[in-house]
Every structure is written in C-alpha cells, then in structure tokens.
Amino acid sequence: MSKAEVPRWPQRIHQATAGLLVLVALAVLWGWAADNVRLKSVVSGWPRMVVPTAVCFLLAGIALGLLPLVRESSSVRRRSISFWASQGLSLLVVVMGLSRLLSYALGRDSGIDHLFYMRFSAMAPATAINFILLGTASLLAGRRRGFQLFQVLTLLANLIAWLAFSRFLYGGAPLIPQDTLAVHTSLLFLVWSVALLCSWPEDGLMSLLVSDSAGGLIARKLLFPAMIVPISVGWLRLQGQRAGWYGTEAGLSLFALSNVVTFGILVWITAAALHRSDLSRRNGEWKLLEQLARLDLLRQITQAIGERQDMQSIFQVVLRSLEDDLPIDFGCIALYDRAGMVLTVSNVGVRQAVLADLRHTTIGIDENGFGRSLNGQLIYEPDLDRLTTPFPRQLVQGGLHSGVIVPLMVEDALFGILIAARREWEGFSSSDCEFLKHLGDLMALAAHQAQMYGSLQRAYDDLQSTRQTVMQQERLRAFGQMASGIAHDINNTISPAALYTESLLEMETGLSRQSRRTLQTIQRALNDVSNTLTRLTDLYRQREPQVVSAPIDLNQLVRQTIELTNARWSAMPQQHGIVIRMVTDLAHGIPLIRGLENEIREVLVNLIFNAVDAMPNGGTLTLRTGIAKTSSGKDEPAEMRGVYLEVIDTGVGMDEEARRRCMEPFFTTKGDRGTGLGLVMVQGVMERHSGELEIDSALAKGTTVRLTFTATEAAVSAPAPAAHAGPISKPVRILLVDDDPLLLKPLREVLELDGHDVVTANGGQSGIDAFHAALSQNKPFSIVFTDLGMPYVDGKKVALSIKEAAAATPVILLTGWGYRSGNEDETPANVDLVLSKPTRRGDLRSAVERFSSNTAS
Ligand code: ADP
Ligand code: MG
C-alpha cells in the first residue's frame, strides 16, 4: 500500500495521544504542587502517580509529538532537529526507567536514583519497566530494521498496562507482582502503546487494520467489539455476583453464554463479509477471464486481417471468427452507398443457412432505424420482435431475437455496418457491445488500409502499363520514320519507270499487243507498289490532327481499311497456316456520315486487329454496314436512326470480367502484346462523333462490335473520278526543279512531248536563279514544278522565293513523302498543288491544264 493510501485516523490517534500525555503529566505535577489527591491518584485509596512518572510521561508526550515532524517536515534541517530531539527525550525516559530498576535491584538506598529523583518518591518497578519498553520502542519507531522488536516491545508494555488496569475494573491482587500502577498511569501506558503502533501503520498488525481490503474492513469492524464486549460482560458479571443476584457458577454460565452470543454474531458478520467478498472476487475473476478471451479473439482477428489485403476476405474472416469464438448465431456486413442512402449486404456468415440469401439485399437506412449509425453510434436491440421494420423482421424469421449494429467509420464517414445477432432475447452484455465496437474500429481501419493498398496497386499497374505503351509508341514512331524514308526512296526510284511506261503506252502506237500487255502489267505493278507505299505512310505519318469533319462513305472506308490491314489478317496468320476468311456485307446506297475519316479508319483498324487476335486458330471476320432503324412500336413504321458498321468475329469471345472491363484503360488479356488502349480510343472517337458503341460477346462463340453513326442527308457520293489521261493543254513555259537527274529527264521529256517549253534546274538555288533570270529577260514561266526534298534549298524555299517574285505563278510540289493528292489540308504554304511520286502523266497534264488556263503564258 502506498503512503498516500494510508488513512489519516492513525495519525490523529497518535497526535491526540501526544497531547493527552503532556496534559495529564502537567495536571499530575500541578496536583503534587497543590497537594490535590484527586489529581495524584484519581481514585482515592489507589496508588498515586509519582512526580518522576509524570515527568517521564511529559518527556514521552513531547517525543511522540515530534515524530510526525521527523516524517513529514519539508525542510531537512527541521527534520533532523525533530529527529534528534525526539530520540534524546526517548533515551532520557529509558535511562530514568533503567536507573529506577537498577536502584531497585541494588537495594533502596543505593542512591543511584537520587541522581534523577532527588527527594521525590520513586516510581513502581512495573512503571519503570514500561518506560524502558515504550521508550526503546520510541527510539526504534520508523527504523525499518527494528520493526519486529518495536512491535514486541509495544505489545508487551500494552499487556503489562492492561493487567494493572484490570485490577481497577475487577479488583483482587495484581497478576504480576509489583504491578500496582495508578489508574491514569496504566491508562496512559495503554494509549501510548496504541499511539506508538499508529505511528507506523505501513507494517505489521497495523497494516492490516488500515488496509482497504476485506480483511482490513473486518478487523476495523470487529476488533473493538471483540475487546470491549468480554471486558464489559465480565465486569457486569462481577457486579451482579457481588450484589448477590447469582452465584459464581450461574455468573460464569451467563458470562460464557453472552460471550458465545457475542462471538457467534461476530463470526456471522465476518463470514457474511467474507462470503460477499469471495463472490465479488469470483465475479471479477470471471470477468477477467472473459476479457482475456476477448482480447485473444481480437488478437486472432487482427492477425488474420493483417495477412489479408482485400476487403471481402477481411470481412469473411471477421464473420467466421465471431461466429466460432464470440460466439454469435448470425453475422453479416453491409456496405453503405452514400448517394442512395442504402446499405447492401455484402457478406453473410455461414451459421444461419436460412439467412444465407440475405446477400445482396438492400437495407434502407432510415426505414430500418439505422440512422444513428451514420454518426458512429452503436445500436443494441435486446428484443428484435418488437420492431416492425423489414430487416429486423427477416432476422426474427430466421430465429434471432437480439442484435447489435456496429457502424464502420473511416474518417468520420460511415462506409458500412457489422450486424451481430443471437437467438436469445437480451443476448448481448455491455462487454459484448464494447468488444464489438472495438472490433468495428479495427475492421474500419483494416478496410481503409486495404482500399489504400488496392488503389496503390492499381496506380502502380497503370504506371507500368503506361511505361510499356510509351515504349511501344516510341518503337512505332521509329519504325514509322524508317518506313516513310524507305517509301520516299522507292517512290523516287520508280518515278522514271512509271513515267516512261506511261508515255510509251501513250505515244508508241506501233507497239505489238504482247509488248503493250507487258507494259500494262509493269504499269499496274508500279501502281500497286505506289499504293502500298501510300498506305504505309498513311499509317505512320504524324499529321496535324484533322479538325474539320467531312462527309465519309462508310463502305469505301471499309474497303480501304481491309486493303490497308491486309497483311495483318491475311499474310501474317498464314505464316502459321492460319486462315482468316474476310467477308464483307456492305449495304448499297447507305447515306454518308460526317466525321474525321482518319479517326474512323483508326477505329476500324483497331477493331479488325482485336478480331484477328481473338481468332488464334482462324475463323471468319465479317464487316457489315447497314441502316440502323429505331426499334419502334408494332404499329409505327421504324425510322432510320443512322448507319451502322459491324465487325463480327468467330473468335474466343470475352468472359464476364473481360466484357465488364474491356473499356477500362490498360485492361488487356494479351499480356505484353496488348496495351489495353484500343477500345478506349474507339470509345473516345465514337463519343466525339456522337455515335454509339455496342459490344456483344459470348465465350467461345465470338464477338460483335457495332458502331452506329448519325447519317447526313446526302446520298452516297459518286466514286472519285479516276486519274485520267486528260486533254493536252496549250503549250506553256515550265520550270522543272529537281536534284535527281534520273527523274528530271523523264519528266522533262514527258512534258516536252505535250509541246511545252521546259527548262530544268538540278537544285533549289539554281531553280530560283533560273526563275529570276527568266523574269528579268521578260520570259516568265507559267508554271513551276519543284521537288520537295533537296539539299540546302528545299522545295518550300523555292516556292517562297517564287511567290515573292511573282505571286501569281503557280507552284506545284512533287514529293515522294506520300501525300495524298488532292488533300487540301496538307498543302504547304506557297504551294498550289502537291503531286505525289511516282508522278503519273495524267496527273501532270491535269495540273498543267488547271493552272495554265488562269495564267498568261
Ligand atoms: P488490347 O487489344 O491491347 O488488349 P483493347 O482495348 O483493344 O486492348 O482490348 C481490351 C481487351 O478486350 C482485350 O485484351 C480483350 O480481352 C478484349 N477484347 C477486345 N476485343 C475482343 C474481341 N473481338 N474478342 C475477344 N476479346 C476482345
Ligand atoms: Mg486492341
């Protein structure tokens, strides 16, 4: 027991006794001085308290009064002064007692005690012994090592004093010879010994008496009656006997009876108190065990949660542990949808099979009285039967009668609830509720962490995919640049061949049929090469994003794209012996749509690639166009909604998850081969075109992707007129600039054959010089043809210089970089027309015809 917990009453007894000793001693001294018998002996005819005894009591009282100062004074100096003063006074008392005993032992006149007593009568030997005992006890008070001796001395003195005092109560000769003390002397010894015990309440007998344990309580209650009752009853018996009311035997029997009754009652009180304390101890123990079991359960659950990262399995493990170990008869978890203000049951325990189908049911938060959980309050319902709302009714039907609803909160917002129920009415104690509340907090924390882990993982995966995509794009870009360069070189190389073939076919009338057919085959082959190169550069060239939407013929776009992707669906699978059959089912006369042709082409390319990927063992790929009708009622005729384009494959199809997630960025089932961005792009393009995208897929059957576009009013445009040989215009003066003599020569010859006056320049700078020279000689050129790519001064610089000198002169750019002829959007500044290489004679003629008509030669 710590010092602070020691009650104050022992200290009060201690201080009161010190005062009493001093007071009585002074009174007796005054009695001697004034010769007052009452003060000297209290009861007449009884021994008096002699002067040395009174002096000893005075010293002892002061020493006793100093003891608390030794313990409690805040100043060290005061403490040591009080200590030494108290020790000195106690020692004096002991020495006085000893000297009296010594002189008693040596004979009356030895004279030793005259040293102290002078002319006063000497104290009784028993008094001297008690002063020695209690004085020594005072010297030992507070010293830990002397405690046993201290206690023995005090009790011994107490016993001697009591025996002397009992003579006063009961009369007779003293039990111990010479133990004849004055009444107040024996009483003062009694209280002094008790006060000394009270000065040291932390140890020994007193420690039990002051303790707040059941033992202390009983001791305090019973000690006083147990001492007083036999003393008083004995005294009464003696008085009755002396008055002659009964004889010795009857008196003894009465005394015994009253003692039996008294002690019977005391034992009964003790037993009852012990019984109560034992019950409460057992109760406490039981609660402790329960708490320990809960703690262990909480530890188990924490451990199990710690090993899991996803919410579903965390919830499941919590429910299982609760059902097995708390235990509860039913548990479930419902997640909260803030927008809809409803809870949806996500996990159900396994114990109550009848209630298993509660999964996925929704619980209205207000209609079921769960509103309080919104601010984090735990709800305990001891009697579910009295509730009439739907969810509690379901629980009652499942045989449950009491339940607890624990809110799961993250950052002060409810994200779900845990419901625990039992078959009994009032089935949950307050410690159950407390435990469930703690568990709820733990679950909320774990779920929050799982969420964070999930988003972190997703962010990491996204980052990883982005890196891959960027790398792939980088590879594609490099490949595209390489492809464009190669296309440019090939275009330049085949240009003379194309021109010569064309002019041979046109000019040489005397060719044999065989030669003409051979030349035509060569021409077709060159054309094919040129078309392939155009598609290649179309696919990879980085262009300015097209912003103006134009009418598009979907059927034509489909045909072009099939050609464009030919290698991917035909040649590449065939390398592995896989055959993909391409089927087109294009509706005639469908309206044009409005849009960005290159974007829609890209969409189609992606869908074709996806379809090919989905048919690793071959199959049929169908491209179908048609008119989309509104699905109308039976009576009204269906109205046209737009034009649709379907890409249908007979491939592996998608499972439920792929179907659900295929539009997510980076979702791919193709591992490193896929980017997961194809369908995202498709969706983006369809949104920009206000179109619709539908995906219909069945595992192992195939997939249909359907794009629906709004149609424009116009009907299908006529096919673009094929490049024609064109009429020969009237002769004009033409400047031809190209750094490649191999190309310059045939171009010049072809144009000269049409009768034009052609001047050639084999570089950008010499072209500009020739133009200026002609201007100054007043023989200006009507048209300038210039190559685009030339060292130092390129085609664009030539065009700029010419437009600066004579803005009206048309400049026609020849390029092997694969411009689509006639595409106005891609015409560079200062250039009137772009012709792509290999240049065909017809194109040259049309261009000359077009520009010579509006310029004077
Ligand atoms: P990627 O082709 O790079 O994987 P996509 O966005 O084009 O990315 O496609 C996403 C996913 O959708 C594919 O990985 C595939 O699982 C699924 N998918 C798309 N088209 C088809 C299809 N025609 N048949 C089966 N699954 C398809
Ligand atoms: Mg794809």
Side-chain angles (χ1 to χ4, degrees):
M1 188 187 291
S2 73
K3 198 175 165 190
E5 284 167 290
V6 176
R8 307 280 305 167
W9 61 262
Q11 206 183 339
R12 292 211 188 95
I13 290 182
H14 179 108
Q15 274 157 350
T17 305
L20 188 70
L21 289 184
V22 172
L23 269 182
V24 173
L26 287 175
V28 171
L29 289 177
W30 168 254
W32 280 96
D35 198 21
N36 183 330
V37 180
R38 208 137 280 265
L39 287 177
K40 287 191 263 184
S41 62
V42 185
V43 181
S44 59
W46 273 71
R48 295 158 303 173
M49 188 193 290
V50 294
V51 172
T53 307
V55 169
C56 278
F57 276 130
L58 185 64
L59 299 179
I62 297 172
L64 200 61
L66 285 173
L67 274 184
L69 288 182
V70 177
R71 281 175 151 227
E72 279 154 28
S73 175
S74 50
S75 108
V76 180
R77 209 174 108 81
R78 269 232 216 118
R79 276 215 299 265
S80 80
I81 290 178
S82 336
F83 175 74
W84 288 116
S86 154
Q87 294 276 300
L89 292 173
S90 305
L91 190 66
L92 203 56
V93 169
V94 174
V95 170
M96 280 171 81
L98 275 177
S99 78
R100 172 68 194 110
L101 265 195
L102 210 60
S103 69
Y104 181 75
L106 298 179
R108 269 188 187 274
D109 300 322
S110 66
I112 291 180
D113 58 344
H114 285 296
L115 200 64
F116 286 107
Y117 302 113
M118 293 170 286
R119 56 194 177 78
F120 304 114
S121 30
M123 59 173 84
T127 308
I129 290 175
N130 258 13
F131 275 128
I132 294 170
L133 295 177
L134 290 178
T136 313
S138 290
L139 283 173
L140 293 173
R143 295 177 205 249
R144 202 148 284 278
R145 283 179 64 199
F147 178 72
Q148 296 297 343
L149 182 61
F150 164 83
Q151 197 162 270
V152 168
L153 294 177
T154 323
L155 290 176
L156 198 61
N158 189 283
L159 183 70
I160 294 171
W162 166 249
L163 289 176
F165 182 71
S166 68
R167 267 190 66 234
F168 171 69
L169 285 181
Y170 306 116
L175 278 171
I176 301 173
Q178 306 293 343
D179 192 9
T180 49
L181 306 186
V183 179
H184 39 356
T185 305
S186 55
L187 268 177
L188 284 187
F189 276 131
L190 276 178
V191 276
W192 184 15
S193 63
V194 171
L196 271 178
L197 284 176
C198 286
S199 75
W200 198 338
E202 292 91 345
D203 287 310
L205 298 174
M206 282 304 288
S207 70
L208 178 66
L209 211 60
V210 297
S211 103
D212 60 356
S213 69
L217 198 74
I218 292 173
R220 279 196 297 279
K221 251 195 196 165
L222 301 190
L223 193 62
F224 194 63
M227 290 190 318
I228 287 303
V229 170
I231 292 173
S232 333
V233 171
W235 182 79
L236 283 173
R237 172 201 157 191
L238 204 61
Q239 299 308 317
Q241 225 171 296
R242 278 186 190 149
W245 296 337
Y246 41 75
T248 313
E249 293 79 5
L252 191 65
S253 111
L254 273 179
F255 178 69
L257 180 68
S258 60
N259 271 354
V260 165
V261 171
T262 311
F263 282 96
I265 292 172
L266 292 185
V267 165
W268 189 258
I269 292 174
T270 315
L274 276 179
H275 179 67
R276 274 197 306 277
S277 120
D278 195 46
L279 278 189
S280 85
R281 181 184 54 79
R282 276 193 218 175
N283 200 8
E285 255 173 29
W286 185 79
K287 274 198 181 142
L288 199 69
L289 281 180
E290 195 189 49
Q291 292 287 348
L292 279 178
R294 295 277 152 83
L295 223 60
D296 193 50
L297 180 57
L298 210 58
R299 185 191 57 76
Q300 270 176 32
I301 295 178
T302 314
Q303 201 172 6
I305 286 177
E307 289 161 3
R308 285 164 175 77
Q309 242 77 40
D310 71 305
M311 301 233 284
Q312 286 302 317
S313 76
I314 288 176
F315 290 161
Q316 216 51 44
V317 84
V318 168
L319 289 178
R320 285 303 293 269
S321 310
L322 286 183
E323 286 189 342
D324 292 347
D325 298 321
L326 192 55
I328 55 171
D329 296 312
F330 170 74
C332 75
I333 286 163
L335 295 178
Y336 182 52
D337 169 22
R338 216 163 296 173
M341 289 275 283
V342 287
L343 293 153
T344 308
V345 178
S346 66
N347 299 68
V348 181
V350 292
R351 263 209 177 178
Q352 214 69 350
V354 217
L355 289 172
D357 55 349
L358 269 184
R359 229 188 129 193
H360 299 313
T361 48
T362 50
I363 312 172
I365 194 145
D366 279 329
E367 70 184 88
N368 285 289
F370 291 174
R372 271 179 295 156
S373 13
L374 280 178
N375 9 316
Q377 265 189 49
L378 179 138
I379 304 174
Y380 171 41
E381 186 46 63
D383 181 4
L384 289 172
D385 300 34
R386 71 181 182 89
L387 301 181
T388 50
T389 46
F391 190 73
R393 292 250 47 96
Q394 269 175 297
L395 295 185
V396 173
Q397 276 158 20
L400 302 158
H401 298 288
S402 56
V404 178
I405 290 142
V406 188
L408 307 176
M409 314 279 289
V410 168
E411 286 164 358
D412 287 339
L414 184 79
F415 82 88
I417 57 169
L418 161 70
I419 299 175
R422 281 184 173 148
R423 291 174 177 285
E424 306 88 39
W425 283 268
E426 304 194 353
F428 291 85
S429 65
S430 63
S431 75
D432 285 334
C433 293
E434 188 98 327
F435 171 77
L436 287 170
K437 180 96 184 75
H438 286 318
L439 183 66
D441 292 346
L442 185 76
M443 278 169 70
L445 200 71
H448 188 46
Q449 266 174 6
Q451 267 174 351
M452 288 205 306
Y453 179 83
S455 34
L456 216 64
Q457 185 68 43
R458 269 196 301 283
Y460 177 76
D461 291 347
D462 282 0
L463 209 68
Q464 211 60 346
S465 320
T466 316
R467 212 184 64 164
Q468 297 242 331
T469 313
V470 169
M471 269 161 57
Q472 197 160 350
Q473 273 174 353
E474 209 40 44
R475 275 202 297 274
L476 270 180
R477 210 165 59 85
F479 178 67
Q481 280 171 355
M482 230 165 63
S484 304
I486 293 170
H488 167 261
D489 288 354
I490 297 176
N491 274 336
N492 270 350
T493 315
I494 63 172
S495 272
L499 275 172
Y500 280 136
T501 317
E502 204 176 355
S503 76
L504 272 178
L505 278 169
E506 205 174 308
M507 308 303 289
E508 297 295 321
T509 41
L511 283 174
S512 69
R513 269 182 76 143
Q514 179 60 32
S515 312
R516 187 163 287 277
R517 221 179 286 144
T518 312
L519 280 175
Q520 277 166 347
T521 311
I522 293 173
Q523 193 178 32
R524 257 203 310 281
L526 289 173
N527 258 342
D528 283 354
V529 171
S530 156
N531 284 342
T532 307
L533 293 175
T534 311
R535 285 203 308 264
L536 192 72
T537 41
D538 260 356
L539 198 61
Y540 292 112
R541 179 150 24 97
Q542 305 229 329
R543 358 165 167 225
E544 295 295 308
Q546 183 189 344
V547 280
V548 191
S549 61
I552 302 166
D553 176 1
L554 213 50
N555 285 348
Q556 194 184 332
L557 187 111
V558 168
R559 282 189 216 105
Q560 274 179 3
T561 316
I562 290 177
E563 247 180 80
L564 192 66
T565 54
N566 179 51
R568 185 74 170 77
W569 55 262
S570 161
M572 281 159 69
Q574 271 174 27
Q575 281 181 341
H576 307 284
I578 298 162
V579 178
I580 291 179
R581 210 161 66 85
M582 177 65 85
V583 177
T584 48
D585 177 6
L586 309 177
H588 286 294
I590 52 168
L592 298 179
I593 59 167
R594 257 196 172 280
L596 309 179
E597 186 173 346
N598 54 350
E599 285 201 352
I600 297 176
R601 184 182 310 115
E602 242 171 288
V603 163
L604 191 53
V605 167
N606 257 290
L607 294 179
I608 291 175
F609 283 5
N610 274 354
V612 172
D613 287 339
M615 296 188 286
N617 301 318
T620 306
L621 173 52
T622 311
L623 298 182
R624 177 178 293 151
T625 56
I627 292 179
K629 300 264 171 65
T630 47
S631 53
S632 58
K634 278 175 199 141
D635 306 332
E636 305 162 41
E639 275 181 28
M640 189 183 81
R641 190 157 59 101
V643 184
Y644 72 81
L645 163 60
E646 282 178 346
V647 181
I648 307 162
D649 67 61
T650 56
V652 293
M654 294 186 230
D655 60 14
E656 198 204 328
E657 197 207 351
R659 175 68 201 83
R660 189 162 38 81
R661 300 187 51 198
C662 63
M663 297 291 181
E664 278 178 23
F666 306 120
F667 173 80
T668 178
T669 51
K670 300 171 192 168
D672 285 348
R673 284 191 307 118
T675 61
L677 288 173
L679 288 179
V680 178
M681 185 278 282
V682 171
Q683 197 181 25
V685 170
M686 289 314 287
E687 271 168 20
R688 273 201 292 287
H689 284 80
S690 315
E692 279 171 32
L693 168 66
E694 293 158 83
I695 298 179
D696 199 4
S697 186
L699 256 192
K701 295 239 166 67
T703 305
T704 300
V705 182
R706 185 183 169 104
L707 313 173
T708 313
F709 299 90
T710 19
T712 58
E713 300 300 313
V716 176
S717 62
H724 62 104
I728 305 167
S729 60
K730 61 178 180 338
V732 288
R733 236 172 102 72
I734 295 174
L735 174 61
L736 206 53
V737 187
D738 199 313
D739 62 323
D740 186 354
L742 269 180
L743 194 61
L744 215 48
K745 190 161 171 273
L747 271 176
R748 177 192 185 144
E749 283 176 14
V750 165
L751 287 169
E752 278 179 351
L753 277 173
D754 286 350
H756 302 296
D757 177 10
V758 182
V759 175
T760 58
N762 60 356
Q765 192 51 53
S766 53
I768 294 170
D769 294 346
F771 186 80
H772 284 284
L775 263 188
S776 59
Q777 288 163 19
N778 215 8
K779 284 200 300 187
F781 293 103
S782 303
I783 299 172
V784 178
F785 284 90
T786 174
D787 186 19
L788 172 62
M790 289 178 292
Y792 308 117
V793 180
D794 67 6
K796 287 180 187 169
K797 285 190 186 140
V798 173
L800 176 69
S801 173
I802 284 167
K803 289 289 180 183
E804 276 172 0
T809 313
V811 178
I812 298 169
L813 197 70
L814 300 172
T815 172
W817 289 104
Y819 280 91
R820 228 165 230 287
S821 54
N823 192 340
E824 304 291 325
D825 296 338
E826 295 178 3
T827 311
N830 301 318
V831 170
D832 296 273
L833 181 70
V834 181
L835 288 181
S836 61
K837 290 178 184 176
T839 327
R840 285 191 278 177
R841 196 169 187 203
D843 294 339
L844 286 174
R845 272 188 193 159
S846 325
V848 174
E849 151 108 340
R850 181 172 148 198
F851 291 103
S852 62
S853 55
N854 48 15
T855 44
S857 69

